Amino acid sequence: MIIAHPEAPARPAPGRPAPQRAEGVLRLALKQEAGRTRPDRIYQEGCAKVRLVKGPLGATEAEPILINSSGGLTGGDRFSVEIELGPGAEAMASTQACERIYRASGGEVEIRNRLRLGPGARLDWLPQETILFDGAALSRSLEADLAPDSEFLAVEAILFGRKAMGETLTHATLRDRWRIRQGGRLLHAEDLRLEGPVSEILARASTLRGGAALATLLHVGRRAESLLEPLREILGAQGGASFWRGRLLARLTAPDGLSLRRRLEPALTLLRGGRPLSRLWRM
């Protein structure tokens, strides 16, 4: 999916001294042990941090909370996350807060997320919304390698400015790339490119009809097909969902972040089989 505009602003002229940039690298491996999912290896570098929340009594899944201690990202910043789940491990990964992508004076923010699921593992990849500010430039990728019998749920939500603050985007750049493989075969691939006068682009009937929020949900698992109709009921007229070739994919648009969250929460709870979301997700 490519949405571009010939009048996208040029990059700043070269020759300026490069400012200090934020960089973060996180590598987390989880294993199943004695009926619970526990950390196996943790590596943290720069502004990337992780905290493991203790779940309710009897919970078998781990709850890693991903943290960007820089407080936001701008052009030239890099943030990388790798999560690996061993056989039978279960986890719900979320973020401490919404990720903020600020105006870029040069270059793009690079966010790289790489996920690996072993046999019988389950991962719910549930970062909170990403907020694009005017002039932001973001290049993001999500790669997941799934075992044939693993279960995977992912959401990526984007807010184009903060409507409650009266913000509008005149120009921004967004490139979002997904590659999901199962058993070594490509299961799902998509590329989104948005560049240029964002407010004009989002006003079109073929995009968001003037909305300011967008979310993509993907679910791979044994129950995925049976959840299609209940999910469609939750999404309503501003969303859609389809199931084919082993995956359930949904899109959801909304006029603002609050409206988006109000439908995302029940949708994610449904796809999680009724298990509660992280406390950071609940309104």
Side-chain angles (χ1 to χ4, degrees):
M1 178 179 182
I2 299 178
I3 308 172
H5 194 278
E7 298 179 359
R11 297 296 182 204
R16 296 182 179 178
Q20 184 176 359
R21 293 305 188 192
E23 294 195 12
V25 177
L26 171 64
R27 301 188 187 104
L28 173 64
L30 300 169
K31 63 181 179 180
Q32 201 275 349
E33 184 179 76
R36 292 181 66 94
T37 298
R38 305 178 187 275
D40 189 17
R41 300 184 306 277
I42 300 176
Y43 174 84
Q44 303 175 127
E45 178 182 321
C47 61
K49 312 293 181 187
V50 65
R51 296 294 181 266
L52 291 167
V53 176
K54 188 174 182 179
L57 185 65
T60 59
E61 68 178 0
E63 188 178 335
I65 304 299
L66 313 180
I67 301 170
N68 172 17
S69 61
S70 72
L73 299 169
T74 187
D77 293 347
R78 296 182 177 88
F79 199 84
S80 172
V81 173
E82 295 183 15
I83 299 179
E84 180 177 352
L85 270 63
E90 300 180 348
M92 172 178 55
S94 188
T95 54
Q96 182 187 35
C98 296
E99 187 60 85
R100 291 166 171 79
I101 310 299
Y102 296 115
R103 176 186 295 273
S105 58
E108 296 179 327
V109 174
E110 293 184 8
I111 298 179
R112 302 290 177 256
N113 299 309
R114 183 69 183 268
L115 314 172
R116 299 182 183 88
L117 280 67
R122 176 181 61 81
L123 175 62
D124 296 338
W125 173 255
L126 309 179
Q128 296 190 63
E129 299 89 341
T130 296
I131 304 174
L132 294 183
F133 287 74
D134 194 34
L138 171 62
S139 174
R140 183 175 62 185
S141 66
L142 174 64
E143 295 189 29
D145 292 299
L146 317 178
D149 62 344
S150 59
E151 184 174 336
F152 181 58
L153 168 62
V155 63
E156 290 287 3
I158 302 170
L159 308 183
F160 299 94
R162 297 175 299 180
K163 193 167 184 180
M165 304 294 289
E167 297 171 353
T168 57
L169 274 65
T170 56
H171 281 80
T173 299
L174 169 65
R175 291 188 294 157
D176 207 7
R177 182 178 188 268
W178 290 38
R179 294 293 184 271
I180 313 299
R181 295 175 176 84
Q182 188 171 40
R185 297 190 312 112
L186 185 63
L187 177 68
H188 181 75
E190 65 173 81
D191 285 82
L192 167 65
R193 181 182 175 188
L194 174 64
E195 187 172 6
V198 177
S199 57
E200 296 179 19
I201 294 171
L202 298 183
R204 299 171 186 167
S206 58
T207 54
L208 300 191
R209 292 180 179 269
L214 168 68
T216 299
L217 301 92
L218 176 70
H219 181 48
V220 180
R222 296 184 302 272
R223 301 175 301 108
E225 186 173 11
S226 67
L227 299 174
L228 176 59
E229 291 305 324
L231 180 60
R232 284 174 170 170
E233 291 181 13
I234 292 173
L235 299 181
Q238 287 189 289
S242 298
F243 177 87
W244 78 106
R245 295 184 178 179
R247 63 196 185 274
L248 175 59
L249 181 69
R251 311 279 192 197
L252 177 60
T253 66
D256 51 57
L258 180 60
S259 301
L260 185 74
R261 179 69 74 102
R262 282 175 172 164
R263 278 183 291 159
L264 269 182
E265 285 191 36
L268 293 173
T269 301
L270 171 72
L271 298 178
R272 274 178 49 79
R275 292 183 295 268
L277 294 173
S278 166
R279 286 171 288 181
L280 298 172
W281 259 95
R282 298 178 214 160
M283 293 174 52

